[in-house]
Each structure stands twice: as C-alpha cells, then as structure tokens.
Amino acid sequence: MERLPHTAFGRTLRTLIRQVWAMRARFAEANRIPYTWVTKIIRGHAEGLTYPSFLGLVAAFEKPADKDQLYEAWLETYAPSPIQQLVPELWSADEEVIAYARMVHEQISAGSVLQTFKSLGYLWNGLKEQPRRSQAALEVGSAYIEAAQQLDRIGVALGVCHDLQLIARLQGGQAWQAQSLWLQGLTLRLVRPRQLIAAEKGLIKFGQYLAAWQPLSALEGRQHQKYLLIAARDHVLSGLDLFWAKQVDVAALSSRITILEVESQNADSPEEVGLASEVIARARVASGSLDEAARALAIAGKNVSTTANQLKVRLCQIQLLVASGESDLARSRIEQALDQADQFRLVHQRQKLSIIQRQLDMLPPGRSYFSM
C-alpha cells in the first residue's frame, strides 16, 4: 500500500499529478524530473525543495487553478518560504513591520503576491486589536487590502476595509481616514456581480471627505493633493463602469477625464503620472477618442516602472488594438500578457485579459467587439 503524504504540499502535488498526468512516471519523464526526487517531495522530504525547484514543479501545470493550488499548499507547508526572509515576526519593531508593509507593491511585482498576502494576513490579525501599534496596523491593513485585491479575494478586502476605517477614525489622523475611505471605494468597484451604485457612492463619500479636509501643514497639503489625484482617477474608473452599463454618456465620461487630466499635472512622481495616464487612455478608448488614447498610453508606458503597473499598460494597449480593428495583433499580445499575469500571480488582471480573449474569440478576424 502506498504511503500517504503527510504534508499539504505532498498531498496536493500527488492529486494534481494523478488528475493531469495520470501517472507519476509520465509526469517525471515529460518534465525531465527524476522520478525518485518527485516521490521524495510527495512524501514530505523538504530539504531538496528549493524555491527554483518548486517553480519547476509549478511550470509543469498549465491551468492557473492548478498552479494556485500548488502555491497555496506551498504556503501551508513551508511558509515562510525561502524568498520571504524579509517578513518580520509579529513582535518585531513597528519600524520593521511598516517597512515590510510599504514594500507590498514591489513584492507583488516580483511575483510573490500569494506569499505576501499570507504574511500580511498573519501580521494584520495580530496587530488590529493593539491600539498602541495603530500605525503599524494601518500600514499592514492597507497593504493587505492591496494584496487581496490582486488575488480577487474581495470578501477579505472588504472585511479589512471595515476594521481599517475604525482604526483610522480613532487613531490615524486625516490622511489615514482618507486612505481607508479610498480603499473601501476601490474595493467596492471590484465586487462581482457589480454593484455600480454602491461603488459610486463609496467614491463620492471619499471625495466629500477630501473636500472638507483642510490641511494644517505642508505635509498634509501634499497628502491631500495625492488623494485628490487618486479620487479623480477612480472617479474616471467608476465612470467607465457606468458607461459600459449605459448609465452615463460619453459627455459625462469626458467630463471626468478632463478633471483627471488637470489633477495629473500636479502629480509628485512619474509612477503617479503613469497610472493617471493609463486610466485616461482606457477611458479614451471606451469613448472612441483613439488618437488621444494613444498619446496618453505613450505617456503611461514611459512612466510606470513596476511589473503590476506595466501589465495594466499592456492590457490597455490590447484594448486600443481591438478598438482600432487590429484584432489579430491583439490576440497575439494577449497570450504574452496572460503569461505575465500567470508568472506574477496577478489574478485580477488575468481575469480582465481572459474576458477580452473570450470576446475576441467570438469575432471574425479584423472586427472590433466595441462595434458589437
């Protein structure tokens, strides 16, 4: 009788090999992996499972769902993983915890979103009930929401948003209250099935808070300006949702775009300029202003630097190709973008790409689905 694996990773790997490859020997031969080594890993011998070796196992499975199962089992069995040596312990100094939380976008862009999500969840659950560590809790909670959004774990994100607002209101100050309101509005946009009115109301509430906020220092002034840009950007994104649902017209959408164009002139960093320009380009594509979309997209491409934001630009480039009737070129670009989304575990972006791919598959070559 075969010995049962005693680790989550061993059980998951054995199950997936049986489902996808039927036999362990066939799996090992097809992927040029020693059969005896695979058997040892399934039985729980972790000393031979370096992170590069783990990635080799993941690469043997094509379906994103299968890859996700392996990542989740890896986390459960081996966390913290060898690439997460920078994760602080719960009792580490707040400065270390905050520094880690502020690295979340870089961690996601490096492809470690699942590991980051789990690590931040561990820290958040230990910090949120400690009033003396409110600043660390606010930083970790904000980062945790971002990681949850990337993985499309919207229920988790909404729960953290609620608790984050309570901490921000009691101990965080005006900038953190603005941050918590923004994150809630942003997360409401990601709820499926869509709740457009609830999302719009959340972003309006965020805008109303900004309108009432009177900065008391130069630092607060810069923070206030940053959130005005964020509010304008998300107002366009919410307008896009309403536009596709035929609840606002082109004129209303264009009015929101104009406000964002004005606010983007006050951006503090190239990354902010790039993100604003990508949203402008996306909205211009939807409204049919393709030349203006191309100009905004060129600005976005020059200014974004992280992998996650570069994928957003690539997705918008595909949308522009489709709107321009270049469906065949869009199809080829989608495959490259899907590979990047899979590599870096950007589930939310992958879902958007898959929707475009399915719509393209329904079209004859050269026709735009924007004209359907």
Side-chain angles (χ1 to χ4, degrees):
M1 180 179 295
E2 182 182 6
R3 187 191 317 173
L4 292 176
H6 66 269
T7 67
F9 187 79
R11 291 190 295 272
T12 301
L13 180 59
R14 184 185 65 165
T15 299
L16 288 175
I17 287 175
R18 287 179 173 177
Q19 290 175 352
V20 178
W21 297 92
M23 298 175 60
R24 196 177 302 173
R26 187 179 300 168
F27 168 80
E29 181 180 0
N31 294 282
R32 298 182 180 180
I33 300 173
Y35 176 87
T36 54
W37 180 80
V38 174
T39 299
K40 286 183 178 180
I41 297 303
I42 288 175
R43 290 178 177 174
H45 295 270
E47 63 274 7
L49 188 57
T50 63
Y51 192 69
S53 299
F54 165 67
L55 292 179
L57 290 173
V58 172
F61 297 89
E62 294 184 358
K63 292 183 179 179
D66 293 342
K67 294 176 186 287
D68 281 344
Q69 284 189 56
L70 284 171
Y71 269 95
E72 294 282 10
W74 162 266
L75 289 172
E76 183 177 341
T77 303
Y78 301 112
S81 75
I83 67 167
Q84 284 292 305
Q85 298 302 320
L86 297 178
V87 178
E89 298 291 348
L90 182 59
W91 53 83
S92 300
D94 283 2
E95 290 78 7
E96 295 179 56
V97 174
I98 290 171
Y100 174 72
R102 290 177 178 176
M103 291 171 56
V104 63
H105 198 74
E106 288 75 11
Q107 293 287 327
I108 289 172
S109 290
S112 57
V113 60
L114 277 168
Q115 297 93 325
T116 303
F117 174 76
K118 181 171 182 177
S119 300
L120 289 168
Y122 161 73
L123 291 170
W124 168 251
N125 288 326
L127 290 170
K128 64 181 181 179
E129 303 293 344
Q130 298 188 43
R132 294 182 180 180
R133 305 187 70 182
S134 60
Q135 289 303 307
L138 289 166
E139 295 276 2
V140 167
S142 181
Y144 191 25
I145 291 168
E146 181 176 354
Q149 289 171 347
Q150 290 291 345
L151 289 171
D152 220 38
R153 309 285 179 85
I154 305 307
V156 172
L158 285 173
V160 179
C161 282
H162 176 267
D163 292 340
L164 196 73
Q165 282 190 32
L166 294 176
I167 298 172
R169 192 159 51 244
L170 292 173
Q171 296 153 323
Q174 293 189 97
W176 273 110
Q177 290 181 63
Q179 175 81 354
S180 66
L181 288 169
W182 167 56
L183 288 171
Q184 183 176 48
L186 178 61
T187 304
L188 286 170
R189 280 196 61 247
L190 304 178
V191 172
R192 298 293 184 275
R194 289 187 179 277
Q195 299 179 17
L196 301 183
I197 301 304
E200 181 80 352
K201 285 182 178 179
L203 292 171
I204 289 173
K205 185 177 179 182
F206 171 47
Q208 290 172 336
Y209 181 84
L210 296 179
W213 179 4
Q214 299 295 322
L216 302 177
S217 65
L219 174 60
E220 276 200 3
R222 290 192 296 273
Q223 292 172 327
H224 185 245
Q225 186 59 53
K226 179 188 77 170
Y227 285 114
L228 287 174
L229 175 59
I230 288 173
R233 190 179 71 213
D234 285 359
H235 197 47
V236 172
L237 291 172
S238 180
L240 262 176
D241 295 338
L242 294 169
F243 176 77
W244 291 122
K246 302 186 185 307
Q247 295 183 29
V248 301
D249 58 15
V250 170
L253 180 60
S254 296
S255 176
R256 298 187 186 209
I257 297 171
T258 299
I259 294 172
L260 176 56
E261 289 173 334
V262 171
E263 289 294 343
S264 66
Q265 295 174 9
N266 299 316
D268 279 342
S269 71
E271 201 77 19
E272 289 178 356
V273 171
L275 288 172
S277 298
E278 184 273 330
V279 171
I280 291 169
R282 204 188 312 176
R284 291 297 189 194
V285 169
S287 64
S289 303
L290 302 188
D291 289 341
E292 293 180 24
R295 286 193 288 271
L297 202 51
I299 295 171
K302 292 178 181 177
N303 284 281
V304 298
S305 59
T306 67
T307 300
N309 288 339
Q310 288 170 354
L311 184 58
K312 287 183 181 179
V313 172
R314 178 173 283 189
L315 195 157
C316 189
Q317 289 169 339
I318 292 168
Q319 291 173 325
L320 179 58
L321 287 172
V322 173
S324 302
E326 300 184 60
S327 299
D328 291 339
L329 183 55
R331 287 185 179 92
S332 66
R333 296 281 179 87
I334 281 181
E335 291 300 329
Q336 297 171 358
L338 284 169
D339 287 343
Q340 188 177 31
D342 286 341
Q343 179 183 359
F344 293 100
R345 320 310 305 150
L346 301 175
V347 176
H348 180 62
Q349 299 300 334
R350 192 191 202 288
Q351 290 179 336
K352 288 185 176 181
L353 287 162
S354 296
I355 290 171
I356 297 175
Q357 187 179 48
R358 288 196 298 271
Q359 291 169 327
L360 280 173
D361 288 343
M362 296 169 62
L363 291 178
R367 188 178 174 197
S368 168
Y369 68 73
F370 284 91
S371 62
M372 291 181 67

